[in-house]
Every structure is written in structure tokens, then in C-alpha cells.
């Protein structure tokens, strides 16, 4: 493929009950990109990530990952294909230590886990100090770092993040965004859902605005930042 | 008094061995395994089969009986529980299935070995007598075996990948799946450990008293009490809960007729539910 897409969702239709929440959503994530998805509460942003990752089975449409059709595969299969996902909440194992959480991230790997844990702990120095503490004892920001670290344990070819800055104090929000950029710089394409539209768009190559389970707008991160409609609706301008 | 305490520790060790598995299976499978007590019975009878009918020495017979009980629980998961899980069976369905399984096991045992008491072929054992306080060798063996198994379980849960995955699963099943943890495999380990611990408890019970088809069924109430006392899903709580229940039961015989023993666990069960339903080690 010339368009160097790593991940592509085509016309996804999905829902929890008879009602469709996604009514044909399409997105693309290319190599080396950060792509953001913004939109009002209940737009279907989390539902989109769940449908891509196989937690919810799409009713129509396709999910293509590294040129392979993975539509409808279960999450444990999709992990093995090389995608990682950090859910919006409950994204750590609270009674396990930081180190054990990371270790679980590499459950499907036979070896090299120790080295990888150490590598990740150097990337997240705050966690290094607390590596043997239970995650339930950590702050919200540190827990989010554990969740992202856990997802990075397999060196994924695509990383899905659902509202990584939700519920964090402003200074921590910046730290999380820096980490996202850093992870991306090491070659991991990231698809991220965010409420914090201004911040995420400013570090994204491209962004999508979702509304009522449909694509509303899309464009380069900078373009969306300057788009009147987006400004009015999401940037409080 | 000290005599009752010693009996209590022995009984408590057996209850704890049952409680650990019941608690883990509930936690990881969302299954209140009413058949758990009958797996204790099955472990005792299979050991009896190897020991008395097939004339193997007791240790070898116990090892075979316990392993076989564990293997049966794995087979049952493959042919029954997994299918129910994959169909998304609710907790009531699972509960009723477990009660049915309990009846099937018990009736097969009666069918095969009859309803009356049997016992292992034991080398004559002397009671140890410390200044008038009697400790049977089987009592000592019970406490030692239970303690060793609990230490082993603790090591498994804290040091091995499987054990850590069990704890991860008990924290958050969805996240465990998303992370790529092989949930079905971890469930098999849980059955294997939980049920073989129960079988060990059953064999030890048979060593200390007699083997009866309904022994496990009657152990189930104190086991439930121990699990709830220790906080559902907490294997360490189950160990402590088991000891507390065992000791309370035996201590009660100082002031109550011994036929009230079982009522003691019932009273503790209800008190915990009323005062601290999350158990003594529960966090919420
Ligand atoms: N498990 C569920 N069962 C039924 N309906 C659900 C479930 N999860 C979400 N929904 C519904 O699906 C719709 C979209 O939810 P979704 O979580 O995808 O929104 P979102 O864009 O992520 O919103 P937010 O910004 O609040 O996270 C909402 O109307 C929600 O009520
Ligand atoms: Mg959401």
C-alpha cells in the first residue's frame, strides 16, 4: 500500500443494544502519526476504539491493521497482531505493583520482559521510584503512566489511547501529553481520543471530529485548531 | 481449653484448605461452587480407592487421589464450565449447575462406595501426649501439610507469572483480556489449584475422622463462613478465616454441646454479613 496506513476503520457500524452508536465511521492512522479524535460526550469516541479493538463486534464495516482484515477478531487476538489499547477508565490492575502491571503487559511474550520493564521504567522515571508499590497507592497521573507503560510492553505497531488526560490536574495533563509525544517519536503511531481538544490537536498530525456516531470534520491538527466551527464547539473560543 | 484449641487448629486447617479454592474460584470465575465440598469428598474416596482397594501405600494413594480430583475439575471446565462461560451464562445458572454437580458427585460416590463410613488403611499411629494434652499424629500432619501448601500458594501468587495473572484477573477481567492474558488458561490453573487443595483437605479430614459421602457437604457451611469472614476472593483471608472458624467451632464445645459446632459457623457467617460484609481483610 502506498498510503502507508497502519490502521484503518472503514464505515464502522456498531452498538451495544439494537441501537447503532456508530453509524459508519471511518478513520485512518498512518505510520509515525498521532491522530486525535474529538467530539462531544456520547459521540461514540470510546465506542469507536472498542470496535477497532474487538471488544465490540462491528455490525458493518471493516478494520484493517497492517494490511490485514481484523474485523471482529477478539481483543486477545488483536493484541497478538501488535495493537495495544488503554481504556478510558479501570486501565490498571490496582492490587498489583507497578512492575507487575508492566509484566502483565508482556504476558504473551516468552522472554525479554525484564529488559523491557527496565526500559519503560527509565522512560517513566516517576514510576521507577514506585516500581514495587501497589498501583492503588499511586496518584491518578502515575496510574495513567502505568497504563500507558503496560500498553507499550509489546512495542505495539499501533497504540489506542482513550482520554489519557481525563481527571488529571493541569500540570499532570501536560506531562501525559509530553509522554504521548515521546512514545510517538520512538516510532509508535497513536490514535488518541481526547476531551482536551486544544492540547491534543496541537500535537496531532491529523484529527477527526465525531458527532452522533458520524464523521463530522477531519483535517490536519493545525487546521482544525483554526477551524471556526471546532473553535466554537470545543475550544471554547 | 488448650486441647480444644489444638483440635480447632486442625479443623481450621482443613476448612482453610477448602476455603482457599472456593474463594479463588468465586473470584476468578464468578462461580459460587456448591460442588466444592463434594470435591473434598471425592479426593478422600479416590485416595481410599488407591489405598484400600488397590493396596497402595497411603502417601502414594493420596497423591494419586488428589491429582486425579484436580484433573477431573479441569475436564469439567473443558466440557461444561467453559461452554457455559462462552454462552454468557449468568450467576444463577452457574450456581444451579454447581448444585446439580454436587448432587451428581455425591450420588456417584454413594453408588460406588455405599453410604456408610470408610477409613484409610493407616499404619497404627500413636497419639503424642504432652503433659495430658493429646495431639494425634494425623493432626500434626494436617497442620504441617496445610501450612506448607499455604506457603506454596503464596509463592505462586507472588512470584510466578501464572499467579500474578490470577491476581490480575481477580482485579479486572476485562483489562486482563485486553492485555492479552490467556484467561481460559488461568482459569484452568485456578481450578487445578483450588480443587486439589480441596482434595487435600478431604484426605486430611478422612485421616482425622472417617470418610463419609456427605462429609464435604457438611464442611461447606464452615467453609463459606471462612471465605466470607476473610473477604471473598482473598486467599489469604480464606486461610485466616478457616483457622478462626475451626478454632471457634472447637472452642464452643467447652460451653455448648458439640452438636452445635456447625451452628457456630452459621452465627459467625451472619454476624460478618451484618457487621462487616466485606470481611475482616476486605478493603471497601
Ligand atoms: N456499555 C454500554 N452499553 C450501552 N450503551 C453504552 C455503553 N457504553 C456506551 N454506551 C452509549 O453509547 C453512546 C456513546 O458512548 P461512548 O462511550 O462511545 O461516548 P464517548 O464519545 O466516548 O463519550 P465520553 O466523552 O463521555 O467518553 C452513549 O450514548 C452511551 O450512553
Ligand atoms: Mg469515552
Amino acid at each position: 500500500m502506498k498510503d502507508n496506513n497502519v490502521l484503518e476503520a472503514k464505515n464502522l457500524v456498531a452498538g451495544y443494544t439494537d441501537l447503532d452508536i456508530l453509524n459508519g465511521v471511518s478513520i485512518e492512522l498512518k505510520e509515525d502519526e498521532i491522530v486525535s479524535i474529538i467530539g462531544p460526550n456520547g459521540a461514540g469516541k470510546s465506542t469507536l476504539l472498542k470496535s477497532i479493538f474487538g471488544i465490540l463486534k462491528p455490525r458493518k464495516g471493516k478494520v484493517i491493521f497492517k494490511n490485514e482484515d481484523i474485523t471482529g477478531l477478539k481483543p486477545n487476538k488483536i493484541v497478538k497482531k501488535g495493537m495495544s489499547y488503554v481504556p478510558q477508565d479501570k486501565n490498571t490492575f490496582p492490587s498489583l505493583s507497578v512492575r507487575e502491571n508492566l509484566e502483565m503487559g508482556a504476558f504473551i511474550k516468552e522472554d525479554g520482559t525484564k529488559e523491557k520493564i527496565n526500559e519503560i521504567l527509565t522512560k517513566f522515571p516517576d514510576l521507577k521510584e514506585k516500581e514495587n508499590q501497589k498501583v492503588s497507592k499511586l496518584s491518578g497521573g502515575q496510574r495513567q503512566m502505568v497504563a500507558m507503560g503496560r500498553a507499550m510492553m509489546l512495542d505495539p505497531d499501533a497504540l489506542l489511547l482513550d482520554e489519557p488526560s481525563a481527571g488529571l490536574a493541569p500540570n499532570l495533563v501536560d506531562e501525559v501529553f509530553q509522554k504521548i509525544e515521546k512514545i510517538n517519536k520512538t516510532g509508535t503511531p497513536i490514535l488518541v481520543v481526547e476531551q482536551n481538544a486544544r492540547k491534543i490537536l496541537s500535537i496531532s498530525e491529523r484529527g477527526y471530529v465525531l458527532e452522533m456516531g458520524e464523521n463530522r470534520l477531519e483535517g490536519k491538527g493545525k487546521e482544525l485548531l483554526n477551524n471556526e466551527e471546532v473553535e466554537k464547539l470545543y475550544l471554547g473560543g | 481449653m488448650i486441647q480444644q484449641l489444638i483440635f480447632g487448629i486442625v479443623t481450621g486447617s482443613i476448612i482453610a484448605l477448602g476455603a482457599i479454592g472456593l474463594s479463588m474460584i468465586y473470584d476468578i470465575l464468578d462461580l459460587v461452587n456448591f460442588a466444592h465440598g463434594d470435591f473434598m469428598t471425592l479426593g478422600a474416596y479416590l485416595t481410599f480407592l488407591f489405598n484400600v482397594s488397590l493396596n497402595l501405600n497411603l502417601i502414594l494413594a493420596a497423591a494419586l487421589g488428589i491429582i486425579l480430583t484436580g484433573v477431573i475439575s479441569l475436564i469439567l471446565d473443558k466440557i461444561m464450565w467453559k461452554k457455559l462461560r462462552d454462552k454468557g451464562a449468568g450467576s444463577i445458572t452457574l450456581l444451579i449447575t454447581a448444585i446439580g454437580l454436587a448432587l451428581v458427585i455425591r450420588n456417584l460416590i454413594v453408588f460406588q462406595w455405599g453410604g456408610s463410613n470408610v477409613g484409610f488403611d493407616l499404619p497404627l499411629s500413636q497419639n503424642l501426649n504432652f503433659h495430658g494434652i493429646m495431639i494425634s499424629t494425623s493432626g500434626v500432619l494436617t497442620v504441617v501439610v496445610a501450612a506448607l501448601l499455604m506457603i506454596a500458594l503464596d509463592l505462586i501468587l507472588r512470584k510466578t507469572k501464572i499467579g500474578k495473572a490470577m491476581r490480575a484477573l481477580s482485579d479486572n477481567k476485562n483489562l486482563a483480556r485486553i492485555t492479552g492474558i490467556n484467561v481460559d488458561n488461568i482459569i484452568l490453573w485456578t481450578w487445578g489449584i483450588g480443587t486439589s487443595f480441596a482434595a487435600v483437605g478431604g484426605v486430611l479430614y478422612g485421616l482425622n475422622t472417617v470418610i463419609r459421602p456427605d462429609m464435604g457437604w457438611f464442611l461447606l457451611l464452615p467453609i463459606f463462613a471462612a471465605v466470607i469472614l476473610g473477604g471473598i476472593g482473598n486467599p489469604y483471608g480464606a486461610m485466616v478465616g478457616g483457622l478462626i472458624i475451626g478454632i471457634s467451632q472447637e472452642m464452643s464445645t467447652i460451653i455448648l454441646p458439640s452438636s452445635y459446632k456447625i451452628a457456630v459457623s452459621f452465627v459467625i457467617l451472619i454476624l460478618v454479613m451484618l457487621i462487616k460484609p466485606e470481611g475482616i481483610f476486605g478493603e471497601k
Side-chain angles (χ1 to χ4, degrees), chain B residues 190-259:
Chain B
T190 308
W191 275 116
I193 293 173
T195 311
S196 53
F197 273 42
V200 173
V203 171
L204 292 171
Y205 182 89
L207 267 182
N208 284 283
T209 58
V210 292
I211 307 167
R212 298 189 318 265
D214 60 1
M215 60 184 246
W217 181 248
F218 282 104
L219 278 166
L220 204 55
L221 180 62
I223 288 174
F224 270 123
V227 168
I228 288 168
L229 182 61
I232 295 175
N234 180 344
Y236 302 98
M239 297 175 191
V240 178
L243 281 174
I244 295 177
I245 296 289
I247 292 169
S248 324
Q249 280 196 5
E250 299 300 334
M251 291 299 226
S252 75
T253 59
I254 300 173
I255 45 171
L256 294 170
S258 72
S259 50

Side-chain angles (χ1 to χ4, degrees), chain B:
Chain B
M1 183 81 171
I2 293 176
Q3 184 70 67
Q4 272 80 14
L5 181 64
I6 289 167
F7 284 150
I9 293 171
V10 174
T11 312
S13 303
I14 293 170
I15 293 172
L17 284 173
I20 290 166
L22 190 75
S23 189
M24 288 172 67
I25 288 166
Y26 174 76
D27 202 27
I28 290 180
L29 285 103
D30 289 324
L31 164 66
V32 182
N33 187 16
F34 263 86
H36 199 67
D38 295 283
F39 279 107
M40 298 178 89
T41 319
L42 184 63
Y45 273 95
L46 289 173
T47 302
F48 170 79
L49 168 77
F50 291 117
N51 176 225
V52 177
S53 315
L54 301 176
N55 261 320
L56 298 179
N57 83 51
L58 187 57
I59 300 200
L60 183 58
L64 289 173
I66 289 157
I67 292 170
L68 190 54
T69 310
V71 170
I72 290 172
S73 78
L74 301 188
I75 295 172
L76 283 170
D77 188 72
K78 289 260 181 206
I79 63 173
M80 189 171 86
W81 299 117
K82 179 170 163 44
K83 302 227 157 88
L84 288 168
R85 265 201 306 284
D86 290 349
K87 277 193 188 141
S91 51
I92 299 289
T93 312
L94 296 177
L95 181 79
I96 291 171
T97 311
I99 294 174
L101 177 63
L103 290 170
V104 169
I105 295 175
R106 206 172 322 144
N107 285 300
L108 285 175
I109 287 172
V110 173
F111 183 73
Q112 177 63 32
W113 288 286
S116 42
N117 299 352
V118 296
F120 295 127
D121 184 9
L122 285 176
L124 274 186
S125 75
Q126 265 188 329
N127 288 344
L128 313 173
N129 185 333
F130 292 106
H131 309 287
I133 292 168
M134 307 283 277
I135 309 176
S136 63
T137 33
S138 54
V140 174
L141 185 71
T142 301
V143 176
V144 170
V145 168
L148 288 176
L149 284 179
M150 288 177 200
I151 293 169
L153 178 67
D154 174 55
L155 289 176
I156 291 173
L157 288 175
R158 284 190 305 115
K159 302 285 182 201
T160 69
K161 192 170 166 182
I162 300 287
K164 290 173 199 173
M166 282 177 174
R167 286 161 49 218
L169 219 63
S170 110
D171 264 7
N172 188 337
K173 252 164 244 134
N174 286 328
L175 187 62
R177 280 205 187 88
I178 291 167
T179 304
I181 292 174
N182 187 337
V183 173
D184 281 326
N185 194 7
I186 302 302
I187 285 177
L188 286 179
W189 279 99
T190 308
W191 275 116
I193 293 173
T195 311
S196 53
F197 273 42
V200 173
V203 171
L204 292 171
Y205 182 89
L207 267 182
N208 284 283
T209 58
V210 292
I211 307 167
R212 298 189 318 265
D214 60 1
M215 60 184 246
W217 181 248
F218 282 104
L219 278 166
L220 204 55
L221 180 62
I223 288 174
F224 270 123
V227 168
I228 288 168
L229 182 61
I232 295 175
N234 180 344
Y236 302 98
M239 297 175 191
V240 178
L243 281 174
I244 295 177
I245 296 289
I247 292 169
S248 324
Q249 280 196 5
E250 299 300 334
M251 291 299 226
S252 75
T253 59
I254 300 173
I255 45 171
L256 294 170
S258 72
S259 50
Y260 282 92
K261 264 190 212 174
I262 205 89
V264 171
S265 22
F266 197 61
V267 169
I268 295 178
L269 178 75
I270 290 178
L271 284 179
V272 177
M273 294 288 237
L274 288 175
I275 299 167
K276 202 162 185 297
E278 68 276 18
I280 38 181
F281 298 112
E283 268 171 26
K284 244 186 309 195

Side-chain angles (χ1 to χ4, degrees), chain A residues 46 88 162-163:
Chain A
S46 297
Q88 188 167 347
D162 197 347
E163 299 205 18

Side-chain angles (χ1 to χ4, degrees), chain A residues 16-17 21-22 39-48 50 88 162-163 193 195 210:
Chain A
Y16 303 90
T17 55
I21 300 290
L22 302 182
N41 289 107
K45 305 180 298 293
S46 297
T47 307
L48 173 62
K50 287 185 212 164
Q88 188 167 347
D162 197 347
E163 299 205 18
V193 167
Q195 293 284 354
L210 232 60

